[in-house]
Amino acid sequence: MPAVQETVARVREIDVDQYKYGFVTDIESDRAEKGLSEDTVRFISAKKGEPEWMLEWRLDAYRRWRTMVEPNWARVDYPPIAYDELYYYSAPKSTPGPKTLDEVDPELLRTYEKLGIPLREQEILAGVEQRRVAVDAVFDSVSVATTFKKELAQAGVIFCPISEAIREHPELVKKYLGSVVPTSDNFFATLNSAVFSDGSFVYVPKGVRCPMELSTYFRINEQNTGQFERTLIIADEGSFVSYLEGCTAPMRDENQLHAAVVELVAHDDAEIKYSTVQNWYPGDAEGKGGIYNFVTKRGDCRGKNSKISWTQVETGSAITWKYPSCILRGDGSRGEFYSIAISNGRQQVDSGTKMIHLGKNTTSKIISKGISAGRSQNTYRGLVSAHRKATNARNFTNCDSLLIGDECGAHTVPYLEAKTSTAVFEHEATTSKISDDQKFYCLQRGLSEEEAVALIVNGFVKDVLQQLPMEFAVEAQKLISISLEGSVG
Amino acid sequence: MLSIKNLHASIEDKPILRGLDLEVKPGEVHAIMGPNGSGKSTLSYVLAGKDDYEVTEGSATLDGQDLFALAADERAAAGLFLAFQYPLEIPGVATMTFLKAAVNAQRRARGEGDLPTPQFMKLVREKADGLGISTDMLKRGLNVGFSGGEKKRNEILQMALLEPKLCVLDETDSGLDIDALKVVSEGVNALRAQNRAFVVITHYQRLLDHITPDVVHVMAKGRIVRTGGPELAHELEARGYADYVGEAAA
Ligand SMILES: Nc1ncnc2c1ncn2[C@@H]1O[C@H](COP(=O)(O)OP(=O)(O)OP(=O)(O)O)[C@@H](O)[C@H]1O
Ligand SMILES: [Mg+2]
């Protein structure tokens, strides 16, 4: 869907949410104290009206988190995060939001313009105060969302905020939450487990092909879930679901630290396709104010012949730390990872994937395209491992980096571990640079420098773009050229 | 159409063009010949606006427009086309995609709308057929894995699609076999028109057998040192550049 529509959709969601639940949160009076303690966790759990077991689960994670240290092996560099200075629930604005668009980073506004986003929506995206505007859109969108919900319900698909699932479908949540990413998994995942705000829950029953792409278009509670989002998707035997996350319009957020967890479970013969376009605010030219994005995404191909594929277009954030992974447990299961990671300005990206082959005849494929421009650093970090019992494990990895300019960096860090001699891992990697001669050739044919770079870059990422659902791909393509603006000349 | 006066240009502070004058009228074909390293490619790059070259003196105008006041892409939109001696490869970008981007970029620069895709495809097919360029080649990455001759034909295809005012061909004949030479020459001849001019840089008479020039220039050490009719090319073929190298050095 075009950016404008996507934004309209987003604006609508905000109001759908209010309408549906009949409250407008008075942020000032409805928030946890600054910092993180058991009380904060209890507060969050109580606010969500959670059952006791959920609270215990969170507290367990919290206690564990207190004993952990932040990882520092990634090739990213940022000032220490003062965890006790953060708000963990309904974070109020630490500084008053901009009063008008005049106070917003002009670069951000320029991007909105390029995406063709109308003024009023720009205000909302940029977090200008008095954001509740699109009232006229409410009724319309409620009916749209209701239609979708009805159709999904008919198919037996459960798609709701995870907070709702905890109340309405405790047996499913209990069974699957933390079963892919254990609460003890890593520093950021553990933090998320203690304080996660909300996110999506999807359950596709046996043999059901989900009748539509599940996108953020009608996802509820979007506005409050940004910081510590938790998503759980379960595809039961023989089912299929395609889930789209993200938005092409850059979103500002008062919360600098983001630590999401996404868990996917695919049973026998089931398939999950998870696509992301990530475009968080990368910060101004100096890198100030950008989002730190520490994400744990993991899919468990639990059943035989199951399949999980991750497709991602990463263009935003000041820091991205993200390794969507597949555990290939079921015999004959398949994992795929298609990624475009773009860094510009002073962005730092450390991203990649892990393919853990446990079952027999499991296959995985990794196509990673990293583009670095400006003074950014872009690292691909990938692990492919085959367990002793994973006979005939197959992996194909293709990892290409493209450099634009002389001040950026691209790094490839592949880890390969095969404990069975029958495993076959293929790894291809290239690093190239857009040469001045190539650029001149394009200019001589009448292309502007920016058009030339966009053309070359689009050629470079084509294989991955093709993996995205059509409308998303078109949007992503536009987004890629915008992300690289200012990287030439 | 093209008017170059006392052009001096250098690269990395090394003077290459040293007082070059050239007048090309609409409809004319000028051949420039000269020894290796005399600055022929440099002239074409300077006209097209390549970054590394610095114009230290002199002027060049295209239909009265100061070329040096325009950026490279603006010069292209103003109607200047350069067929490269060594066409560049761009992996991942299908030739067809590139052609379309170029055609539409120039149309936009001239305030025209994009050419609708079906119309564009038809146009490309037509021109490509004439030059013996297959559909398969159009789908491949731009110039990637093309043979030397295929690259040159691809240059002519671009020229035909972009319909420039002034075409500068830098050794388009080198690397072509006899049949390809004919195909390419016919391509060029088909484009000859009242309002279009050509500057053909070449080392060999054989190209000029197919594309008959109106004027032949000899370039040496960054200058035009002699100008004559088509017969001058024959004379050069017979006698080489010895005379001119000496003359320019003096
Ligand atoms: N980047 C550069 N740095 C230094 N000298 C250069 C550079 N590029 C070209 N030159 C020099 O400029 C001179 C003119 O080169 P140019 O390519 O214009 O010659 P040419 O007449 O086209 O030769 P040929 O017939 O071999 O194609 C040569 O001496 C060449 O070495
Ligand atoms: Mg040359």
Side-chain angles (χ1 to χ4, degrees):
Chain A
M1 102 182 61
V4 183
Q5 257 174 281
E6 179 96 15
T7 336
V8 171
R10 228 164 222 281
V11 174
R12 286 178 178 175
E13 279 160 31
I14 299 164
D15 289 290
V16 169
D17 184 19
Q18 286 175 46
Y19 182 79
K20 185 164 186 258
Y21 295 104
F23 61 70
V24 180
T25 316
D26 175 2
I27 289 174
E28 289 307 317
S29 64
D30 194 24
R31 64 169 198 217
E33 291 293 299
K34 194 159 79 172
L36 188 48
S37 65
E38 290 208 6
D39 284 346
T40 327
V41 177
R42 286 177 198 282
F43 178 89
I44 294 168
S45 187
K47 276 285 163 205
K48 300 259 160 207
E50 287 176 354
E52 188 62 23
W53 62 266
M54 194 65 236
L55 172 63
E56 284 308 320
W57 196 85
R58 284 181 183 269
L59 284 172
D60 181 54
Y62 169 73
R63 289 175 197 130
R64 209 179 268 277
W65 181 73
R66 273 293 167 204
T67 69
M68 297 168 92
V69 286
E70 210 172 318
N72 63 1
W73 42 261
R75 200 183 184 104
V76 292
D77 187 25
Y78 53 94
I81 298 171
Y83 291 93
D84 285 322
E85 294 298 312
L86 298 178
Y87 288 92
Y88 291 85
Y89 183 74
S90 270
K93 295 171 189 233
S94 44
T95 50
K99 294 275 183 296
T100 66
L101 281 178
D102 295 341
E103 296 175 27
V104 174
D105 181 359
E107 274 304 305
L108 190 65
L109 295 181
R110 233 169 50 85
T111 308
Y112 289 152
E113 252 161 56
K114 296 262 164 164
L115 281 165
I117 297 169
L119 267 187
R120 215 164 62 153
E121 292 166 39
Q122 293 186 19
E123 292 187 343
I124 294 162
L125 288 162
V128 172
E129 288 185 336
Q130 275 125 33
R131 54 173 73 184
R132 311 297 186 194
V133 280
V135 181
D136 51 332
V138 176
F139 297 100
D140 205 29
S141 58
V142 167
S143 62
V144 171
T146 317
T147 317
F148 283 159
K149 281 220 136 189
K150 221 184 249 166
E151 204 177 324
L152 287 173
Q154 263 164 19
V157 175
I158 304 171
F159 179 38
C160 64
I162 199 156
S163 54
E164 188 181 317
I166 290 166
R167 292 190 304 264
E168 314 274 324
H169 307 283
E171 67 303 335
L172 285 173
V173 177
K174 256 191 221 174
K175 183 170 170 193
Y176 291 103
L177 190 70
S179 75
V180 186
V181 179
T183 46
S184 58
D185 193 79
N186 69 72
F187 185 84
F188 298 110
T190 308
L191 176 62
N192 175 288
S193 300
V195 300
F196 71 86
S197 27
D198 216 328
S200 301
F201 176 83
V202 179
Y203 173 78
V204 190
K206 280 183 194 172
V208 170
R209 208 185 151 82
C210 187
M212 67 188 71
E213 306 263 358
L214 299 182
S215 72
T216 46
Y217 177 61
F218 55 105
R219 204 167 75 195
I220 317 295
N221 268 353
E222 178 66 23
Q223 206 58 14
N224 274 335
T225 57
Q227 198 176 4
F228 298 106
E229 191 167 351
R230 185 95 196 184
T231 298
L232 177 58
I233 300 176
I234 303 136
D236 218 325
E237 285 173 30
S239 68
F240 170 83
V241 60
S242 166
Y243 185 91
L244 261 67
E245 163 200 60
C247 178
T248 49
M251 286 284 289
R252 260 188 93 101
D253 195 301
E254 295 299 323
N255 305 305
Q256 192 172 37
L257 173 67
H258 282 235
V261 171
V262 176
E263 295 178 278
L264 312 181
V265 179
H267 288 288
D268 289 0
D269 304 304
E271 179 176 348
I272 302 175
K273 205 171 147 52
Y274 193 107
S275 314
T276 308
V277 171
Q278 185 270 109
N279 192 18
W280 290 108
Y281 184 56
D284 61 16
E286 297 301 310
K288 273 206 214 80
I291 303 287
Y292 296 176
N293 197 26
F294 299 93
V295 186
T296 306
K297 287 185 164 176
R298 195 172 303 154
D300 187 358
C301 284
R302 209 164 277 185
K304 62 174 173 23
N305 301 324
S306 54
K307 180 176 166 187
I308 288 178
S309 78
W310 300 100
T311 305
Q312 60 173 31
V313 179
E314 299 279 323
T315 67
S317 294
I319 292 178
T320 303
W321 181 99
K322 182 176 177 187
Y323 316 90
S325 312
C326 294
I327 300 169
L328 304 168
R329 199 183 305 274
D331 291 347
S333 60
R334 179 170 175 80
E336 290 175 356
F337 174 76
Y338 302 95
S339 169
I340 298 169
I342 297 174
S343 56
N344 196 356
R346 290 182 179 266
Q347 283 175 278
Q348 305 173 54
V349 177
D350 196 299
S351 182
T353 185
K354 290 184 217 167
M355 293 291 172
I356 318 283
H357 294 255
L358 302 177
K360 294 185 190 56
N361 304 316
T362 46
T363 53
S364 61
K365 182 173 169 185
I366 298 170
I367 308 283
S368 162
K369 306 277 179 179
I371 300 164
S372 340
R375 302 167 74 170
S376 66
Q377 294 295 326
N378 203 326
T379 302
Y380 168 82
R381 191 182 299 277
L383 166 74
V384 179
S385 77
H387 189 262
R388 198 167 40 80
K389 290 179 181 159
T391 45
N392 298 319
R394 293 273 180 284
N395 166 266
F396 173 76
T397 298
N398 175 272
C399 182
D400 297 328
S401 306
L402 183 67
L403 299 169
I404 304 174
D406 298 319
E407 290 182 282
C408 52
H411 318 273
T412 304
V413 191
Y415 305 89
L416 298 175
E417 297 168 6
K419 299 236 169 67
T420 162
S421 58
T422 57
V424 179
F425 295 167
E426 283 174 79
H427 183 95
E428 288 174 1
T430 65
T431 299
S432 50
K433 209 184 136 177
I434 298 182
S435 73
D436 291 343
D437 285 348
Q438 281 174 324
K439 259 195 265 176
F440 174 63
Y441 189 69
C442 294
L443 291 176
Q444 210 303 304
R445 297 306 184 243
L447 298 172
S448 71
E449 204 153 341
E450 283 176 356
E451 284 170 326
V453 169
L455 188 76
I456 296 172
V457 165
N458 277 320
F460 178 73
V461 300
K462 201 170 52 187
D463 296 348
V464 173
L465 277 185
Q466 281 166 357
Q467 296 298 325
L468 287 170
M470 188 59 179
E471 333 77 82
F472 226 38
V474 173
E475 280 306 291
Q477 186 167 20
K478 196 151 78 172
L479 177 62
I480 289 166
S481 19
I482 291 172
S483 313
L484 290 170
E485 273 179 17
S487 65
V488 295
Chain B
M1 173 164 282
L2 174 69
S3 171
I4 303 175
K5 295 208 168 74
N6 189 31
L7 181 58
H8 290 255
S10 44
I11 181 158
E12 286 164 13
D13 295 328
K14 180 177 156 193
I16 308 288
L17 300 184
R18 299 187 272 193
L20 184 138
D21 296 286
L22 183 65
E23 291 289 334
V24 180
K25 295 199 183 69
E28 287 182 345
V29 174
H30 287 230
I32 298 184
M33 304 180 81
N36 296 131
S38 55
K40 304 181 296 298
S41 293
T42 301
L43 172 63
S44 70
Y45 288 146
V46 168
L47 291 176
K50 195 165 190 236
D51 262 349
D52 322 327
Y53 297 85
E54 196 196 345
V55 175
T56 49
E57 218 185 312
S59 67
T61 58
L62 181 64
D63 277 346
Q65 225 180 342
D66 178 6
L67 280 179
F68 301 146
L70 302 176
D73 53 332
E74 294 167 335
R75 296 184 202 187
L80 175 75
F81 181 90
L82 169 60
F84 284 61
Q85 183 172 2
Y86 304 106
L88 275 294
E89 299 185 0
I90 306 185
V93 178
T95 304
M96 190 65 117
T97 307
F98 181 80
L99 295 175
K100 194 169 166 202
V103 166
N104 285 333
Q106 295 206 9
R107 287 177 67 99
R108 263 177 256 148
R110 291 192 296 258
E112 300 162 24
D114 284 9
L115 199 60
T117 303
Q119 226 169 302
F120 170 78
M121 299 287 275
K122 189 163 164 272
L123 189 67
V124 174
R125 271 280 27 109
E126 222 174 80
K127 309 269 185 201
D129 279 347
L131 290 161
I133 294 174
S134 68
T135 315
D136 175 58
M137 261 173 70
L138 294 172
K139 286 184 190 154
R140 274 156 58 189
L142 182 67
N143 291 325
V144 178
F146 285 24
S147 74
E150 285 169 343
K151 285 182 184 169
K152 296 299 176 71
R153 273 186 272 168
N154 199 16
E155 293 292 288
I156 303 304
L157 173 61
Q158 294 174 48
M159 187 164 91
L161 287 169
L162 294 170
E163 302 185 324
K165 278 188 207 162
L166 176 72
C167 310
V168 180
L169 277 60
D170 192 359
E171 295 196 29
T172 300
D173 54 331
S174 66
L176 293 182
D177 65 33
I178 295 159
D179 296 335
L181 181 68
K182 254 183 104 173
V183 171
V184 164
S185 308
E186 278 163 15
V188 172
N189 286 330
L191 287 170
R192 288 181 78 155
Q194 277 302 308
N195 54 357
R196 182 172 293 138
F198 291 82
V199 173
V200 179
I201 297 168
T202 183
H203 286 292
Y204 304 105
Q205 171 59 39
R206 55 171 204 172
L207 178 69
L208 305 179
D209 288 341
H210 296 283
I211 306 171
T212 316
D214 300 296
V215 186
V216 175
H217 305 275
V218 178
M219 184 163 170
K221 303 208 167 158
R223 279 195 188 131
I224 302 292
V225 290
R226 192 167 160 203
T227 297
E231 72 291 342
L232 179 55
H234 289 283
E235 186 190 314
L236 290 170
E237 190 102 321
R239 300 183 41 186
Y241 296 115
D243 302 352
Y244 305 105
V245 176
E247 190 178 314

